Amino acid sequence: MKRILSIILALGLLAAFAGGVQAEELKIGSLSPLTGPYAADGNDIANGARAAIKVIKDEGGIEGYDDIVLLAQDSACDPRQAVAAANKLINEEVAGVVGAYCSSATIPASETLAEEDIIMITPASTNEKVTERGLDYMFRMCGRDDDQSKAAVKFMTDYLKGKTIFIVDDKTTYSQGLADNVEKLANEADIEVIEHDHVNQGDKDFSAVLTKIKEANPDVFYMSLQNSSSGALMLIQAKRAGIDAAIVAQDAVYHPQLIENAKEAADGVYLTFGFIDEEKPAFKKFKEAYAEYGDPGAYSGYAYDAAYVLLSGIKAAGSTDPAAVKDEIMKMDFEGATKHVKFAENGDSGSNYVIRVIKDGKYVNFWDPNTGELY
């Protein structure tokens, strides 16, 4: 009889446990290219978000949740795949999304997420349209192309004293949009645009366009490509072709792999990228949390800040209600890992582009467009 009672009691306890309070899991998503030619940047973004989750957990987590998980989806820098990935995250009922990388993926994915009032914070998409469409829950952690192009052209005129420029892009929403801005501003600054030519994503042989550049002999060769692998190939072939122009590139090719792959062909190349103070405590905290994934990539820090903002907003709101979380995000005014975080009404967080140069196999701060002074 005692044994029967013990069994009944045990079963009762199991039933009570099963029907009791279950662990609550907070799910956030990321959208970035995890495979294909842009996978390096895409995985940096996912890992940056994971580092932010680690820091939030170390800071005590979020009340009401026993765990925080990242659901990383592959956008492949493809509009259709990005929309499909966004729908997967909607079905998973994520509280917000960090992403995407390519503007051509972010723009359609954000429209899908907007239909469900899901907050999206991009760490990497710089095309102006990202935050110019009136979406209530679209935020941007990185800078904008119109600001990046101003920094680039100011450098060409004030420091390089360039009189002629040859522009090349790869026809992507990001790359061509940025190149178009540079062309417009160069014309306004009385820099002669000898030609604005195009290559295709995935091209390996750039000899045709590089021959044109060699023959044109411009003061500045502006290289606007979507990723560091294409950038490295173009730099190697430009060096082989004997191009003497000052080469100015942009933030999409700014990645450790550009230097690793191009090696000495990358030396002396100038790039526009947001200024990051690596000595400040917030950056050091990020880098420590990111250490298990290796050295941070170009957009690791921006993804970390984006995820930290999203999670901090949820924590402060005590809710995943998008309107409540947005209210908390709009109140934020703090020093992030990559920049000072304070959002404008349209969701932008401001641009802080500077000119960096590749010197002895490293990216080095070179010129400040705000002061016109060398670092």
Side-chain angles (χ1 to χ4, degrees):
M1 185 66 179
K2 286 182 179 179
R3 183 173 175 177
I4 293 171
L5 288 172
S6 296
I7 292 171
I8 291 170
L9 180 61
L11 289 171
L13 287 170
L14 284 171
F17 180 80
V21 178
Q22 295 183 353
E24 275 292 321
E25 189 176 70
L26 176 62
K27 294 185 285 189
I28 65 169
S30 70
L31 280 173
S32 60
L34 304 177
T35 56
Y38 313 111
D41 285 298
N43 282 284
D44 289 342
I45 286 170
N47 290 334
R50 291 184 180 107
I53 289 173
K54 181 181 186 302
V55 169
I56 290 287
K57 285 181 177 181
D58 289 346
E59 292 176 349
I62 298 177
E63 189 175 352
Y65 296 97
D66 297 293
D67 198 10
I68 306 169
V69 296
L70 179 76
L71 303 180
Q73 290 292 328
D74 188 356
S75 64
C77 272
D78 176 78
R80 289 185 181 180
Q81 186 161 329
V83 168
N87 278 313
K88 286 181 184 178
L89 293 176
I90 289 169
N91 292 335
E92 289 286 351
E93 299 182 343
V94 296
V97 175
V98 173
Y101 173 62
C102 298
S103 296
S104 55
T106 297
I107 290 171
S110 64
E111 290 168 359
T112 299
L113 294 170
E115 291 174 5
E116 301 297 327
D117 292 340
I118 294 175
I119 291 171
M120 184 180 200
I121 308 177
T122 179
S125 297
T126 54
N127 187 278
E128 301 98 299
K129 292 178 183 176
V130 169
T131 50
E132 296 297 330
R133 293 164 296 144
L135 299 183
D136 289 336
Y137 298 108
M138 182 76 240
F139 294 88
R140 176 175 10 222
M141 187 57 64
C142 55
R144 292 167 52 114
D145 283 343
D146 47 357
D147 292 323
Q148 182 169 197
S149 57
K150 287 174 189 172
V153 173
K154 189 172 175 59
F155 176 65
M156 295 172 198
T157 56
D158 293 6
Y159 182 82
L160 294 177
K161 310 296 183 186
K163 299 298 181 185
T164 57
I165 184 173
F166 196 114
I167 301 171
V168 176
D169 70 61
D170 62 10
K171 304 181 191 175
T172 60
T173 302
Y174 157 79
S175 304
Q176 188 165 352
L178 179 54
D180 287 345
N181 276 337
V182 167
E183 180 178 11
K184 175 177 177 289
L185 292 173
N187 281 321
E188 291 174 2
D190 292 326
I191 300 176
E192 180 191 351
V193 179
I194 296 172
E195 190 169 344
H196 181 170
D197 210 337
H198 312 276
V199 295
N200 297 306
Q201 288 188 81
D203 283 355
K204 305 293 184 187
D205 181 2
F206 301 113
S207 56
V209 72
L210 292 172
T211 298
K212 287 185 184 180
I213 296 170
K214 173 70 174 173
E215 291 173 352
N217 192 29
D219 296 326
V220 180
F221 164 28
Y222 186 72
M223 186 178 80
S224 185
L225 303 177
Q226 184 69 70
N227 69 76
S228 59
S229 352
S230 299
L233 277 174
M234 190 171 277
L235 290 178
I236 290 167
Q237 293 173 34
K239 185 176 179 66
R240 194 179 299 148
I243 289 172
D244 294 324
I247 301 177
V248 180
Q250 26 67 313
D251 56 354
V253 300
Y254 181 99
H255 192 278
Q257 288 189 357
L258 180 73
I259 299 173
E260 291 167 16
N261 295 336
K263 298 183 172 60
E264 66 275 4
D267 264 6
V269 172
Y270 302 106
L271 304 97
T272 43
F273 200 77
F275 175 76
I276 298 174
D277 179 3
E278 298 187 3
E279 296 304 313
K280 65 182 177 179
F283 183 87
K284 290 180 178 179
K285 179 185 276 191
F286 147 68
K287 195 167 182 183
E288 183 180 348
Y290 194 88
E292 64 182 286
Y293 308 111
D295 291 329
Y299 289 97
S300 305
Y302 287 108
Y304 167 88
D305 278 341
Y308 190 86
V309 161
L310 174 61
L311 294 170
S312 297
I314 292 169
K315 187 172 185 174
S319 166
T320 56
D321 174 72
V325 176
K326 178 182 178 178
D327 284 346
E328 294 300 330
I329 289 175
M330 293 304 294
K331 294 176 190 174
M332 291 181 183
D333 190 348
F334 72 99
E335 201 60 43
T338 57
K339 67 197 298 185
H340 188 84
V341 176
K342 176 66 177 171
F343 291 98
E345 285 299 318
N346 69 347
D348 277 323
S349 61
S351 301
N352 57 348
Y353 289 105
V354 297
I355 305 299
R356 306 200 89 193
V357 68
I358 298 173
K359 183 178 180 181
D360 299 327
K362 293 180 180 179
Y363 290 108
V364 179
N365 287 330
F366 184 74
W367 191 77
D368 185 346
N370 298 306
T371 64
E373 296 179 359
L374 295 170
Y375 282 99

